[in-house]
Amino acid sequence: NLRADVDPLNATNYDTDHLFGLFVTQGLQDPAHNMAYLLQGGLGLPNRDYYLSSDKDMASVRDAYKAYMTALMKQAGIVDADAKAKTIYALEEKIAKAQASIVDTENVHNAQPWAMADFAKKAPGLDWAAYFKAAGLDGQQVITAWQPGAISKLSALTASAPLQDWKDWATFHAINRNAGLLPKAYADLSFGF
C-alpha cells in the first residue's frame, strides 16, 4: 500500500500512517528533474508529540486513541482486540521515539540525497530494493531521505519488532484508513474518535 501521501514543501503535510511517506516533486538541488523524497511515518496520531508529551491533554488523547483502537478492532471481529491494541500502541510509541522532531522535519537542509545502494548501508533492516520496486521507484538513482536519522531508526525497527506486531499494526491502519467506506458502525467509531 504505497502511494505519494506526504507533501513537505507545498502543504506542510508531514504525517502518514504508512511507515514511510513518499513525495515526488521538482528537485530542490536539481530543478530540471523530478525527485522522490522519503519521509518518516507510521503513526495514527498527528505527530510524535502526541505520544511523547507529558501534557495532560495529550495523555487524554492517547487514552481515547487506545480505546478507539480496541473498539474498531472489536467491531471488525478481531480476536483479542484489547491485547492487540496495546501491542499496536506500544509499536507506535517506538515509532514516535524514532522519529525526528517537527522542528528538524521543517528544516529542508536536513534532507540528504541517498543513492539507492546507500539505503541498505545507512538504514539496514528493511528490504529497500523490494520497497522501492513496489513503489515504482526502483529505476531511480537517488532518493532524498527527508529525515535521514529517523529513516535509519524506523528501518531498524522493522527488523527488531516481531512480524506479528507489524501485521496487527497494518491491519488496524487498513481498517482505520477505510472506516468511512465500511458499514456505518465503523464510520461512527472513527467520527466519534
Side-chain angles (χ1 to χ4, degrees), residues 78-79 84 87-88 91 158 160-172:
I78 293 174
V79 177
K84 289 186 179 189
T87 299
I88 295 164
L91 180 57
T158 65
S160 65
L163 180 59
Q164 188 59 50
D165 293 1
W166 287 111
K167 288 179 178 181
D168 294 339
W169 170 86
T171 299
F172 165 74

Side-chain angles (χ1 to χ4, degrees), residues 36-150:
Y37 296 87
L38 187 72
L39 280 74
Q40 69 190 10
L43 303 177
L45 294 174
N47 64 58
R48 72 191 295 264
D49 293 340
Y50 281 78
Y51 296 83
L52 307 178
S53 173
S54 59
D55 180 81
K56 70 178 178 100
D57 291 333
M58 292 288 204
S60 68
V61 170
R62 287 192 292 268
D63 291 342
Y65 182 54
K66 291 173 194 175
Y68 168 67
M69 285 177 152
T70 301
L72 194 67
M73 290 190 296
K74 282 183 178 176
Q75 179 63 38
I78 293 174
V79 177
D80 216 4
D82 292 314
K84 289 186 179 189
K86 287 177 185 167
T87 299
I88 295 164
Y89 184 82
L91 180 57
E92 287 193 18
E93 198 170 64
K94 290 176 187 173
I95 292 169
K97 289 176 182 174
Q99 287 192 349
S101 71
I102 293 292
V103 172
D104 289 339
T105 294
E106 291 174 344
N107 185 350
V108 68
H109 300 292
N110 289 335
Q112 296 177 5
W114 287 359
M116 290 299 252
D118 288 342
F119 280 87
K121 289 184 263 182
K122 294 180 178 182
L126 189 71
D127 182 344
W128 288 106
Y131 179 86
F132 288 125
K133 183 174 183 177
L137 295 172
D138 52 324
Q140 298 299 308
Q141 299 298 312
V142 173
I143 296 197
T144 300
W146 195 266
Q147 302 109 337

